[in-house]
Amino acid sequence: MSIVFVPKKLRGKAKINQETIQRLLDENDQLIRCITEYMQKGRAVECVQYQQILHRNIVYLATIADASPENMPAPAASYPTPGESSASTSVVNRAGPTS
């Protein structure tokens, strides 16, 4: 059973640490391998329960990440702000004609 299945009376009281996060990531790795194996064997129906657990784990990890703004990475790409020149925005708009 997934470590995310916590009784309601204990929810919100767990201390989140690197070990818990790593255990979830390891569990997700195993779930993905299991899902892949079942899919290759044509047993898609059996995959559903594992997909649900994987989804719950991913949502839980995303919730932890969203609650930790100090760990946010820098944005991967920068987009022009409204005050930037049109020369810098022409690269972004290259996909289609402008009128």
Side-chain angles (χ1 to χ4, degrees):
M1 180 178 278
S2 176
I3 62 173
V4 175
F5 293 100
V6 178
K8 286 185 180 183
K9 64 181 180 180
L10 297 176
R11 290 184 188 171
K13 302 196 184 340
K15 295 200 171 41
I16 307 301
N17 57 31
Q18 189 61 37
E19 181 183 334
T20 303
I21 292 170
Q22 188 59 52
R23 283 178 39 211
L24 276 169
L25 292 172
D26 293 342
E27 182 178 353
N28 288 353
D29 179 62
Q30 281 299 116
L31 287 166
I32 291 168
R33 290 174 193 271
C34 187
I35 291 166
T36 303
E37 184 177 328
Y38 276 128
M39 291 296 282
Q40 288 174 346
K41 292 179 179 180
R43 297 171 57 185
V45 174
E46 287 93 343
C47 292
V48 174
Q49 67 182 10
Y50 297 115
Q51 290 171 335
Q52 290 172 341
I53 295 168
L54 178 62
H55 178 264
R56 183 175 287 186
N57 286 357
I58 292 171
V59 169
Y60 182 71
L61 288 168
T63 302
I64 293 170
D66 288 345
S68 310
E70 67 275 356
N71 295 332
M72 284 184 53
S78 61
Y79 296 97
T81 59
E84 289 187 272
S85 69
S86 61
S88 63
T89 58
S90 64
V91 173
V92 174
N93 295 330
R94 191 181 291 184
T98 57
S99 49

